[in-house]
Amino acid sequence: MSEYLLEMKNICKSFPGVKALQSVEFQLKAGEIHALLGENGAGKSTLIKVLGGIYIAEEGEIVIDGKPVVINSVNDARDNGISIIHQELVLVPRMTVAENIFLGREPMGKFGVDTRKMIAEAQKMLDRFDLGIDAASEIFDLSIAQQQMVEIVKAISFNCKILVMDEPTSSISDREVLQLFDIMRNLARQGVGIIYISHKMSELNEVCDRVTVLRDGTYVGTRVVADTPRDELIAMMVGRKLDQYYTRDHVKNTEVFFKCEHIDDGKKHQKRVNDVSFEVRKGEIVGFAGLVGAGRSETMQCIFGLTRDSKGTIIMDGKELKIKSPVDAMKYGISLVPENRKVEGLYHVQSVSFNSTIEVLHEFIRNLMVNTAREREITQEYIDKMHTKTPSLEQTVTNLSGGNQQKVMIGRWLATNPKLLILDEPTRGVDVGAKAEIYEIMNELTKQGVSIIMISSELPEIINMADRVYVMYDGRITGCIDYENVSQEAIMKLATLETAEGESA
Ligand SMILES: Nc1ncnc2c1ncn2[C@@H]1O[C@H](COP(=O)(O)OP(=O)(O)OP(=O)(O)O)[C@@H](O)[C@H]1O
Ligand SMILES: [Mg+2]
């Protein structure tokens, strides 16, 4: 028996203009959870796609249980016991959960696919996670978090010996994350080797045994997580020490600039926004905390003119605003960077430059003449500001790494020069270096008088960056905490109001 379950040796893979992997080494033991760490664009997903038969490396060798194997297709990978949860969701929206789980290996009866059996088996798998997902429902009707859990259940259902998870926790709630970690530990005990990709450093210590770091497509090193300080890992990742992570010069009691009263989504069923009132002061960063599903994104959608029947009063600079659509909102100087950027935000087949400037077209299109030089200038400015990694301004956005797509998106909204910037989970999927950059940009903007609303599920980010934090639970604001009094406990208490009441009852 070989010491390693999987060895990837001298893996090289290029794309036009990009050396995505250069002689990368990776070794996985049976029963270990091995983190793959690196900045956006470091090559993590590419390495995983080489293992999964989606990309074929120009050079290199893959060895499983001591034997060299050839993986030229997704089927080859599956035959070698490899199962992958990709960073982008790949479920078929108009099919049921069960159909998606069993795609290509449906249980057959006398008359074709045995749908009843398929749904029953899928339901059994789902119930192991206690998710409350119905195997017969369509993917289309599930939340992103639920879709993510279906992906996970599907991947595990293959009885694989190597399981790869590319940022599985980026859109699921804390409770689901804990369940996922339990499942991972369980699988590892049964000898499965797990490769885990995440930008959440705190998860490393919680669940990973060893970690391999990539930087700019090259192998930096492998360490035992428990023996390695976080600073060291960050330095390995970004090639330098990050001395300042959160940049925030807090403000207090500046004048009220923006105010919402009695915001309501107007829905009769499944109401998500219920009599929400809050205010934002000039140059403030106002955090919105709460569990997934608390109604934070929905509240902002009402304000931004995305919810048809929403009600309530919106006041800016003492004047009441009439917002019926995002165009109205933007006219008043409000910008919203949505949470689900993959689906809502980007024109995937268009270039980086198209995506960066789509919201500010008026700045370089005059009388139907496109000022290409100006378009390039704006694009370049935000690529520089955000340190977006792209081989050129003409690169199609789908070909950027996940985190870099995110940076293009945020840059685009910064280009609109908003007075009120609403950021929904701004650092999701973004590496530590880029996070620090985004925090710095936010701090800069507020100094120029911009007010920022930041929805975030990452408590450290809320605690360190926000001047005041509103906490929501079940469509309502349950409290407001200023930066001098904020703590994890204080937020969680307000975010889980129901349990607190339940206990006292
Ligand atoms: N299909 C493709 N065509 C062209 N370039 C690509 C393609 N896929 C990836 N790249 C480039 O290869 C490099 C590595 O990308 P990769 O997706 O592996 O990064 P990553 O480490 O997964 O980053 P992230 O943390 O942002 O997901 C990036 O520079 C990216 O732009
Ligand atoms: Mg990736």
Side-chain angles (χ1 to χ4, degrees):
M1 267 289 277
S2 158
E3 182 190 354
Y4 296 109
L5 171 60
L6 166 72
E7 284 172 277
M8 297 180 80
K9 299 179 182 170
N10 186 34
I11 306 287
C12 301
K13 171 73 193 163
S14 298
F15 298 106
V18 185
K19 281 189 177 158
L21 300 172
Q22 302 176 60
S23 312
V24 168
E25 306 286 325
F26 184 77
Q27 295 168 326
L28 179 72
K29 296 176 186 169
E32 82 166 331
I33 303 179
H34 194 130
L36 193 52
L37 203 61
E39 290 185 287
N40 297 132
K44 303 175 299 290
S45 297
T46 305
L47 186 67
I48 291 322
K49 286 177 181 166
V50 166
L51 179 64
I54 293 169
Y55 293 152
I56 296 174
E58 287 107 40
E59 259 180 80
E61 195 180 20
I62 301 178
V63 180
I64 292 180
D65 283 333
K67 285 188 272 312
V69 295
V70 176
I71 301 180
N72 283 337
S73 69
V74 176
N75 282 338
D76 287 350
R78 190 160 292 163
D79 293 345
N80 280 293
I82 298 163
S83 193
I84 300 184
I85 301 164
H86 289 288
Q87 192 169 6
E88 340 37 65
L89 297 174
V90 289
L91 299 172
V92 190
R94 280 298 177 199
M95 291 189 355
T96 64
V97 171
E99 282 166 340
N100 267 285
I101 291 179
F102 283 101
L103 193 63
R105 50 177 182 140
E106 294 86 354
M108 301 305 271
K110 265 199 205 119
F111 311 102
V113 176
D114 186 343
T115 312
R116 260 225 324 250
K117 183 169 172 203
M118 185 167 78
I119 290 180
E121 299 220 334
Q123 195 64 57
K124 234 189 315 180
M125 293 179 194
L126 292 163
D127 289 347
R128 270 176 43 200
F129 293 74
D130 182 25
L131 294 171
I133 297 176
D134 183 355
S137 56
E138 278 190 5
I139 292 296
F140 193 78
D141 293 324
L142 302 184
S143 69
I144 298 290
Q146 287 174 321
Q147 292 185 28
Q148 183 79 62
M149 290 311 286
V150 173
E151 289 269 15
I152 292 165
V153 171
K154 177 174 178 175
I156 292 170
S157 73
F158 285 98
N159 291 325
C160 51
K161 57 182 179 189
I162 297 169
L163 176 64
V164 186
M165 303 181 155
D166 196 347
E167 297 196 40
T169 60
S170 62
S171 54
I172 62 180
S173 70
D174 290 347
R175 190 181 75 105
E176 290 160 333
V177 171
L178 292 182
Q179 280 171 346
L180 178 67
F181 287 173
D182 274 344
I183 294 161
M184 286 166 63
R185 291 191 193 99
N186 238 320
L187 289 170
R189 265 196 295 276
Q190 294 162 33
V192 177
I194 300 178
I195 304 173
Y196 188 73
I197 301 178
S198 170
H199 287 291
K200 299 183 186 164
M201 299 293 287
S202 57
E203 294 184 348
L204 284 186
N205 290 81
E206 212 169 320
V207 79
C208 298
D209 305 306
R210 291 197 303 158
V211 49
T212 289
V213 180
L214 300 182
R215 185 169 72 234
D216 285 334
T218 60
Y219 172 80
V220 179
T222 301
R223 300 278 188 277
V224 171
V225 174
D227 304 342
T228 318
R230 193 174 292 186
D231 286 353
E232 186 181 333
L233 288 176
I234 292 177
M236 287 169 80
M237 242 190 335
V238 301
R240 67 193 147 91
K241 273 186 103 159
L242 268 191
D243 28 292
Q244 202 167 24
Y245 191 53
Y246 297 107
T247 324
R248 183 67 195 143
D249 305 307
H250 285 291
V251 300
K252 201 172 162 179
N253 293 334
T254 48
E255 69 186 278
V256 175
F257 163 70
F258 181 85
K259 213 157 112 179
C260 289
E261 284 164 353
H262 313 300
I263 302 292
D264 185 303
D265 59 11
K267 300 217 164 83
K268 295 214 168 54
H269 304 291
Q270 298 200 312
K271 199 174 206 36
R272 302 295 282 280
V273 185
N274 204 337
D275 195 16
V276 170
S277 303
F278 66 92
E279 54 187 37
V280 180
R281 292 162 178 275
K282 199 145 189 73
E284 243 191 351
I285 297 180
V286 170
F288 267 75
L291 303 177
V292 172
R296 297 169 295 163
S297 303
E298 288 81 356
T299 300
M300 299 312 152
Q301 285 159 10
C302 289
I303 293 168
F304 200 60
L306 285 162
T307 311
R308 219 185 58 209
D309 299 320
S310 62
K311 296 194 265 294
T313 318
I314 302 169
I315 296 164
M316 188 190 256
D317 268 337
K319 283 190 285 292
E320 185 173 346
L321 311 186
K322 289 273 167 273
I323 298 176
K324 292 235 159 351
S325 70
V327 176
D328 294 341
M330 284 166 62
K331 227 169 41 205
Y332 291 122
I334 304 175
S335 285
L336 177 131
V337 182
E339 171 185 25
N340 191 6
R341 283 167 278 264
K342 297 245 162 70
V343 184
E344 294 163 11
L346 290 166
Y347 299 83
H348 279 275
V349 295
Q350 294 282 3
S351 67
V352 170
S353 116
F354 179 93
N355 270 288
S356 301
T357 57
I358 179 76
E359 306 299 345
V360 288
L361 291 176
H362 57 273
E363 284 197 32
F364 57 89
I365 303 180
R366 285 273 190 295
N367 305 327
L368 292 181
M369 295 281 289
V370 176
N371 181 344
T372 326
R374 180 72 189 126
E375 181 183 9
R376 293 188 68 88
E377 201 179 289
I378 296 175
T379 308
Q380 192 62 52
E381 179 183 340
Y382 286 95
I383 285 179
D384 293 346
K385 266 196 184 146
M386 305 292 296
H387 297 262
T388 309
K389 217 177 143 203
T390 175
S392 77
L393 305 189
E394 277 69 44
Q395 178 66 287
T396 352
V397 161
T398 0
N399 288 341
L400 296 189
S401 77
N404 281 302
Q405 294 186 6
Q406 184 117 328
K407 292 190 201 171
V408 171
M409 182 72 194
I410 295 177
R412 173 210 288 178
W413 286 103
L414 293 182
T416 63
N417 288 323
K419 292 189 217 159
L420 176 69
L421 179 62
I422 307 174
L423 301 167
D424 196 347
E425 304 285 359
T427 64
R428 176 173 290 169
V430 172
D431 66 54
V432 280
K435 274 184 190 163
E437 280 153 22
I438 290 175
Y439 298 144
E440 206 175 317
I441 290 173
M442 288 169 65
N443 194 46
E444 250 337 286
L445 284 172
T446 57
K447 279 192 185 158
Q448 296 161 21
V450 178
S451 303
I452 297 179
I453 296 176
M454 171 177 72
I455 300 179
S456 171
S457 298
E458 284 198 37
L459 287 182
E461 165 174 300
I462 287 265
I463 290 169
N464 286 288
M465 292 302 293
D467 302 313
R468 284 182 307 121
V469 182
Y470 286 99
V471 186
M472 285 187 72
Y473 172 77
D474 198 19
R476 291 169 189 279
I477 287 182
T478 49
C480 180
I481 315 166
D482 62 28
Y483 70 92
E484 285 161 333
N485 296 305
V486 74
S487 68
Q488 194 137 336
E489 299 71 46
I491 292 177
M492 286 321 286
K493 227 173 173 167
L494 292 167
T496 55
L497 210 56
E498 189 178 57
T499 21
E501 279 169 3
E503 275 162 12
S504 63

